Amino acid sequence: MFSIYILTANEEIDIADCIESAALSDDIIVVDSFSQDRTVEIAQQYPVRVVQHSFESHGKQRTWMLQEIPTKHEWVYILEADERMTPELFQECLQAIQSDDFIGYYVAERVIFLGSWIRRSTQYPRYQMRLFRKDKVWFTDYGHTEREVCNGPTGFIQETYPHYTCSKGLSRWIEKHNRYSTDEAVETLRQLQAGTVNWKDLFLGSSEVERRRALKDLSLRLPFRPLIRFLYMYFILGGILDGRSGFTWCVLQAFYEYLILLKVWEVQNSPQLYAEQLQTTTLPHLEKVESQTVISNLGTKP
């Protein structure tokens, strides 16, 4: 058996269905970031543990829970409240942890948006580290999200999990991505100053994870990023075949990319507005990054 962590922050709409999908496990821990709605009240109606901890970042929250919250089992699985465990995925995970070959496994998401599975324009299968031995994996921050650090070899699970990205409505989606774009802007500047493109991983990466991360590092350096992202997702990946939901998804992702670039310009020209984010990010030569570079990427003068 393996334990399941569920990460929550104001998830009263999703938390019940998420817990019920995870109930195949005999050890479920809800890690809540002091929700202001009924998330904790609803979670406490189920046979789960609820632990609250102030949210600093995705990477720090995951690492804290792995280090500070004891689990019944050596292997753990991470769920977010708008995701679901499926019986098929659970059974494959049970089989996977019987092997000593790997210390962790990547699992692919199926993005459900406006009631439809966005199969093509989401780069499916897009893998995340979800099942692992809790003493062998920790997390660091990267942009608005996190990246895993694994002390040992990793594998891939074939079954997938549904991710209801818009379950709380478009207003919540837009508000969330407005926050995310701030962290992504700071990470963009850091990558432009100190990062590089791993061309080997981009073309010869041994896994989807390596290729996707190299592609993202390359995309940060391309002009007209919002337009390129829309064209890539809608035509090259085949989002045009995902119907109306796919078109909306591609448009919103291009908008998100443009919002990141606007905030990159704003961070450079009004860093006092982003003092909190800059305190936790190494940008020693912020003043040396040419604003004109970012303006040209925007494709318009701010």
Side-chain angles (χ1 to χ4, degrees), residues 227-257:
L227 177 60
I228 290 175
R229 184 166 188 179
F230 176 82
L231 295 175
Y232 174 71
M233 294 173 63
Y234 197 62
F235 293 106
I236 297 178
L237 291 182
I240 191 172
L241 301 176
D242 286 327
R244 182 178 180 181
S245 297
F247 176 76
T248 304
W249 177 264
C250 293
V251 169
L252 287 175
Q253 293 299 321
F255 164 74
Y256 176 52
E257 200 73 47

Side-chain angles (χ1 to χ4, degrees), residues 173-192:
W173 190 97
I174 293 171
E175 183 272 331
K176 180 171 65 174
H177 282 76
N178 179 45
R179 290 186 285 108
Y180 288 173
S181 64
T182 299
D183 293 332
E184 287 293 330
V186 175
E187 182 63 32
T188 295
L189 283 172
R190 190 184 73 82
Q191 287 294 321
L192 291 176

Side-chain angles (χ1 to χ4, degrees), residues 126-157:
R126 193 168 180 266
Y127 289 93
Q128 308 286 339
M129 174 56 62
R130 290 308 174 96
L131 176 69
F132 53 89
R133 283 179 48 183
K134 65 177 297 188
D135 61 336
K136 296 294 184 179
V137 176
W138 64 97
F139 293 87
T140 60
D141 293 322
Y142 185 93
H144 80 272
T145 184
E146 75 289 333
R147 283 189 175 178
E148 67 284 349
V149 181
C150 303
N151 185 17
T154 56
F156 292 83
I157 297 292

Side-chain angles (χ1 to χ4, degrees), residues 35-268:
S35 294
Q36 301 300 307
D37 61 4
R38 297 179 58 245
T39 298
V40 171
E41 176 188 342
I42 295 171
Q44 289 175 337
Q45 297 174 12
Y46 292 88
V48 303
R49 285 183 283 159
V50 178
V51 180
Q52 292 187 296
H53 182 255
S54 297
F55 182 86
E56 296 181 69
S57 67
H58 290 279
K60 289 184 176 65
Q61 189 78 339
R62 283 162 170 74
T63 297
W64 177 85
M65 73 183 187
L66 292 173
Q67 293 177 343
E68 301 298 330
I69 303 177
T71 56
K72 185 175 180 179
H73 306 289
E74 176 185 35
W75 285 83
V76 298
Y77 188 100
I78 294 180
L79 269 178
E80 296 196 15
D82 58 358
E83 300 168 352
R84 303 290 181 267
M85 174 63 69
T86 68
E88 296 79 11
L89 173 58
F90 189 85
Q91 289 302 316
E92 186 175 353
C93 288
L94 284 179
Q95 295 174 8
I97 64 176
Q98 305 305 315
S99 171
D100 294 327
D101 295 338
F102 302 109
I103 56 89
Y105 292 89
Y106 291 93
V107 187
E109 65 176 347
R110 284 182 283 117
V111 173
I112 311 299
F113 180 73
L114 299 182
S116 300
W117 175 21
I118 311 300
R119 178 171 184 169
R120 299 167 184 85
S121 49
T122 53
Q123 295 177 286
Y124 176 85
R126 193 168 180 266
Y127 289 93
Q128 308 286 339
M129 174 56 62
R130 290 308 174 96
L131 176 69
F132 53 89
R133 283 179 48 183
K134 65 177 297 188
D135 61 336
K136 296 294 184 179
V137 176
W138 64 97
F139 293 87
T140 60
D141 293 322
Y142 185 93
H144 80 272
T145 184
E146 75 289 333
R147 283 189 175 178
E148 67 284 349
V149 181
C150 303
N151 185 17
T154 56
F156 292 83
I157 297 292
Q158 297 302 310
E159 289 291 340
T160 61
Y161 63 91
H163 181 189
Y164 297 91
T165 59
C166 201
S167 59
K168 289 173 278 295
L170 282 171
S171 294
R172 175 75 176 264
W173 190 97
I174 293 171
E175 183 272 331
K176 180 171 65 174
H177 282 76
N178 179 45
R179 290 186 285 108
Y180 288 173
S181 64
T182 299
D183 293 332
E184 287 293 330
V186 175
E187 182 63 32
T188 295
L189 283 172
R190 190 184 73 82
Q191 287 294 321
L192 291 176
Q193 290 180 25
T196 60
V197 178
N198 191 323
W199 296 98
K200 180 179 178 181
D201 282 353
L202 181 63
F203 294 105
L204 302 173
S206 60
S207 70
E208 181 274 338
V209 176
E210 292 181 352
R211 294 189 295 272
R212 170 164 47 87
R213 289 178 176 177
L215 180 62
K216 179 169 184 177
D217 291 339
L218 172 63
S219 72
L220 299 180
R221 293 158 172 80
L222 296 176
F224 308 109
R225 280 166 50 188
L227 177 60
I228 290 175
R229 184 166 188 179
F230 176 82
L231 295 175
Y232 174 71
M233 294 173 63
Y234 197 62
F235 293 106
I236 297 178
L237 291 182
I240 191 172
L241 301 176
D242 286 327
R244 182 178 180 181
S245 297
F247 176 76
T248 304
W249 177 264
C250 293
V251 169
L252 287 175
Q253 293 299 321
F255 164 74
Y256 176 52
E257 200 73 47
Y258 189 60
L259 190 59
I260 293 171
L261 290 180
L262 288 172
K263 289 189 178 183
V264 166
W265 182 88
E266 195 171 53
V267 169
Q268 291 178 302

